Amino acid sequence: LQEWEYIAAQYTLKGLSTFPCPERKFMLVSLTGFGRAEVNEGTIQYSIEIRSVNGRFLEINTRLPRSLMQFENEVRNVVRTELDRGKVLIQILEPRETRYQEGFSFDKEMVSRVLASIREAADHLALEDDIKLSDILPLLENFKPEETEEEAIRRLVLIQKGLREALKEFDKMRMAEGSNLEKDLRKRLAILEENLSEIKIHAEENRKGQLDKMLTRIEKYTPADKVDKGRLEQEVALLVDRIDITEEIVRMRSHIELFEKALDHGDQVGKRLNFILQEMNRETNTMGSKANTSEVSSRVVRIKEELEKMREQVQNIA
């Protein structure tokens, strides 16, 4: 291993810094992924796996061999430099030959105290002292690996190297999935735009039709000499404006544009996309409440269906 790696690991061991993960390409990334790496140096060997599913916040769980428990924070910190959200599981497997290759020391004082307590209890109960080696075997947890600081650093550097390699594979899978999500979302944005165009056409026709219909009815049932034409048209226009959805369509298209820009930007945009979808839903609900024709209502329903599918997809975006 390079000298600078040992120096960096020394700082890591003291909790002062961690290795940065590889830079991700500037594109949409899924929260779901899996990466695996095998690393070894001499008699030391580890298999490292990283997997994640979607989650609102970053939640890191680890499954480490006993010899690496002291490095749990360092392992977590490496992953934190790469991820902002998701439920992540890091699993490091240690072959038997690695697990038992280092020297051991036995905590003699602790075992002596335990044996003394057992013998004292046996004397008090007038029991025969027949302790065998098999009775002491459960105390093997009192064996502790003998490891120098240099050996600990060597072990830490190796697992950091493995984590970086696993993260590369992990990111490849996440970016591939992110690419598929992006294609699907862009397809649904096109469906939204298509339905908005249809809604706009029907809404304009409906607005003009409603205005003419109201004026005709008023003229039919109200004497002409009792109607102020200017005031009548003004009041009718206000009534018709209440069913006008031009502003909602304009804002909806603005949200679609913002959504597309976020997709173009890529990287960690899941929260931004989710917020934009909330605004889209708000405008769609307003259009639905104003709609008074079957043509507009059916298009609004279709938009709501697509937004729900998009919301489900966005939950998987980092």
Side-chain angles (χ1 to χ4, degrees):
L1 295 172
Q2 299 296 320
E3 183 178 355
W4 67 268
E5 289 184 302
Y6 279 104
I7 294 172
Q10 283 179 320
Y11 280 107
T12 305
L13 194 62
K14 296 172 183 177
L16 299 178
S17 68
T18 57
F19 278 103
C21 292
E23 290 186 1
R24 187 190 302 111
K25 293 181 180 179
F26 206 53
M27 61 183 295
L28 211 63
V29 181
S30 171
L31 285 173
T32 303
F34 174 81
R36 190 173 188 277
E38 300 271 354
V39 289
N40 62 81
E41 184 196 354
T43 56
I44 303 176
Q45 181 180 350
Y46 295 111
S47 174
I48 300 173
E49 294 181 357
I50 302 174
R51 64 187 72 219
S52 72
V53 294
N54 63 34
R56 189 174 179 185
F57 306 103
L58 180 60
E59 179 183 332
I60 302 175
N61 295 301
T62 60
R63 293 179 186 170
L64 306 179
R66 191 167 181 177
S67 63
L68 298 180
M69 291 300 293
Q70 60 179 317
F71 301 133
E72 183 176 7
N73 284 336
E74 282 74 14
V75 170
R76 289 173 176 270
N77 288 338
V78 170
V79 176
R80 283 193 188 101
T81 63
E82 177 76 359
L83 306 176
D84 289 334
R85 291 199 299 139
K87 294 180 180 179
V88 185
L89 174 63
I90 306 165
Q91 181 169 286
I92 301 180
L93 304 176
E94 183 181 36
R96 182 179 294 271
E97 54 268 26
T98 293
R99 195 178 310 156
Y100 297 117
Q101 60 83 28
E102 67 268 356
F104 286 90
S105 63
F106 190 68
D107 194 337
K108 300 180 182 66
E109 291 184 7
M110 178 181 288
V111 175
S112 296
R113 288 197 299 271
V114 171
L115 288 174
S117 296
I118 293 173
R119 287 187 172 122
E120 183 180 347
D123 290 341
H124 178 74
L125 298 171
L127 300 175
E128 183 180 353
D129 183 355
D130 59 349
I131 298 176
K132 304 183 182 69
L133 180 60
S134 59
D135 299 319
I136 303 176
L137 286 177
L139 301 177
L140 284 177
E141 64 179 18
N142 295 291
F143 282 101
K144 298 180 179 179
E146 286 184 330
E147 187 174 58
T148 65
E149 183 176 5
E150 183 180 352
E151 289 170 336
I153 291 172
R154 206 164 120 250
R155 194 181 293 274
L156 175 58
V157 170
L158 188 63
I159 63 172
Q160 287 176 326
K161 176 185 175 184
L163 280 170
R164 291 198 300 271
E165 292 178 3
L167 280 168
K168 286 180 182 178
E169 295 302 314
F170 177 72
D171 264 351
K172 285 180 182 178
M173 180 174 177
R174 294 172 70 218
M175 287 188 290
E177 179 63 21
S179 178
N180 292 332
L181 289 172
E182 181 179 352
K183 291 174 184 176
D184 183 77
L185 289 170
R186 289 190 185 278
K187 180 182 72 175
R188 299 190 187 285
L189 286 175
I191 294 174
L192 295 186
E193 186 61 50
E194 177 186 339
N195 281 276
L196 275 178
S197 297
E198 291 295 325
I199 287 174
K200 184 178 180 181
I201 293 172
H202 290 297
E204 289 175 352
E205 292 175 350
N206 180 54
R207 185 177 184 278
K208 185 178 182 304
Q210 289 294 323
L211 178 59
D212 293 341
K213 190 182 294 183
M214 285 182 185
L215 287 173
T216 300
R217 287 179 179 176
I218 291 171
E219 289 174 354
K220 180 178 179 180
Y221 296 107
T222 306
D225 58 344
K226 294 184 178 181
V227 175
D228 181 337
K229 286 283 187 179
R231 180 64 182 274
L232 174 62
E233 291 180 357
Q234 184 180 7
E235 292 296 331
V236 171
L238 288 173
L239 289 172
V240 173
D241 279 340
R242 292 179 184 176
I243 62 171
D244 183 40
I245 56 177
T246 302
E247 290 184 10
E248 286 75 15
I249 292 174
V250 170
R251 285 195 292 267
M252 188 70 171
R253 281 181 166 154
S254 175
H255 296 326
I256 290 175
E257 184 178 348
L258 287 174
F259 199 97
E260 288 177 333
K261 286 181 179 179
L263 291 180
D264 292 338
H265 183 276
D267 204 9
Q268 315 255 343
V269 292
K271 290 182 180 179
R272 188 188 309 175
L273 294 176
N274 192 54
F275 174 77
I276 296 172
L277 281 177
Q278 291 176 15
E279 295 302 307
M280 287 183 176
N281 267 307
R282 187 174 289 112
E283 300 300 338
T284 304
N285 287 333
T286 304
M287 284 190 283
S289 65
K290 289 184 175 182
N292 62 348
T293 67
S294 59
E295 292 87 355
V296 173
S297 295
S298 63
R299 296 289 179 174
V300 168
V301 170
R302 180 66 191 279
I303 288 177
K304 285 185 176 181
E305 291 173 349
E306 292 303 318
L307 288 176
E308 178 59 25
K309 293 173 184 176
M310 291 172 70
R311 188 192 66 80
E312 292 174 1
Q313 297 287 49
V314 166
Q315 301 309 308
N316 292 315
I317 297 176

